[in-house]
Amino acid sequence: EVQLVESGGGLVQPGGSLRLSCAASRFTFGSYDMSWVRQAPGKGPEWVSDVTNGGGTTYYADSVKGRFTISRDNAKNTLYLQMNSLKPEDTAVYYCAKLGLDDALDAWGQGTLVTVSS
């Protein structure tokens, strides 16, 4: 079955940076578009970013555009999210997710917690 394992979360001050990673296995990673979604405490999931299967096209939510960068290394079966200029409202559990051929989320990881606070 599909396995996705996020890492890299932690506590950072406003204005700081973090780089999240998602290790993918048990599927052909390079054949699928990937996403990052996040969920703040007490709130529903929020889409953050997508990248196409080859890494050539990216999409971002307005709330993170210009601050976050999604990328992937298909040779390493790894998805990344570089987060700069972090704000307290970025505090959430961040999940990587696989998109199926119908462009709907069909697998996700366990998440990694990002806390932005002084």
Side-chain angles (χ1 to χ4, degrees), residues 13-99:
Q13 293 187 343
S17 297
L18 282 175
R19 181 178 173 87
L20 306 184
S21 298
C22 172
S25 60
R26 304 184 71 86
F27 72 104
T28 304
F29 179 71
S31 296
Y32 293 90
D33 296 350
M34 297 291 294
S35 294
W36 287 98
V37 298
R38 66 187 183 186
Q39 188 166 16
K43 297 184 178 179
E46 177 190 17
W47 171 76
V48 174
S49 185
D50 284 350
V51 60
T52 52
N53 57 5
T57 305
T58 58
Y59 306 90
Y60 299 94
D62 288 343
S63 58
V64 307
K65 196 171 299 179
R67 300 188 298 120
F68 290 12
T69 303
I70 190 171
S71 62
R72 64 194 297 162
D73 187 337
N74 286 349
K76 295 183 177 180
N77 286 354
T78 303
L79 178 73
Y80 302 99
L81 186 68
Q82 177 67 46
M83 306 186 296
N84 299 326
S85 301
L86 283 161
K87 304 175 180 179
E89 52 263 45
D90 295 318
T91 296
V93 177
Y94 284 72
Y95 301 89
C96 64
K98 170 185 174 290
L99 301 181

